[in-house]
Amino acid sequence: MNALLVPVFFHVLVLLDDPSEPPAPEDVKAGWVAFGVFIALGLAVAFLGWSLVRQLRKAQAAKDAGVYDEETSSGSSDAGPAA
């Protein structure tokens, strides 16, 4: 069903597109909304980086405190099943 819809949508888009007259330069501008979205995306990336650093520091502190069992997590323990 989807294989039939893709060509139909493509042909509809081609028929609706009128490349004869491009928009005027004064009609094409990003505006303040696009600038706000750009700033918001930058802040989101900064927040995610800050959060990642915090989580990595917490995981390293837990590892240094011995929360994680190093013998079983490395996969080379002698207590495993014999083959």
Side-chain angles (χ1 to χ4, degrees), residues 1-69:
M1 179 71 178
N2 287 340
L4 296 174
L5 291 178
V6 171
V8 171
F9 285 132
F10 177 74
H11 288 302
V12 168
L13 289 175
V14 168
L15 291 175
L16 292 178
D17 189 25
D18 184 20
S20 61
E21 29 180 283
E26 61 269 3
D27 293 338
V28 180
K29 58 184 176 180
W32 289 105
V33 174
F35 181 68
V37 169
F38 179 75
I39 295 298
L41 287 173
L43 291 173
V45 168
F47 172 73
L48 288 174
W50 173 75
S51 179
L52 174 67
V53 168
R54 282 189 54 201
Q55 293 299 322
L56 289 174
R57 285 184 184 158
K58 284 171 50 176
Q60 187 64 42
K63 182 180 176 183
D64 293 343
V67 174
Y68 306 123
D69 188 12

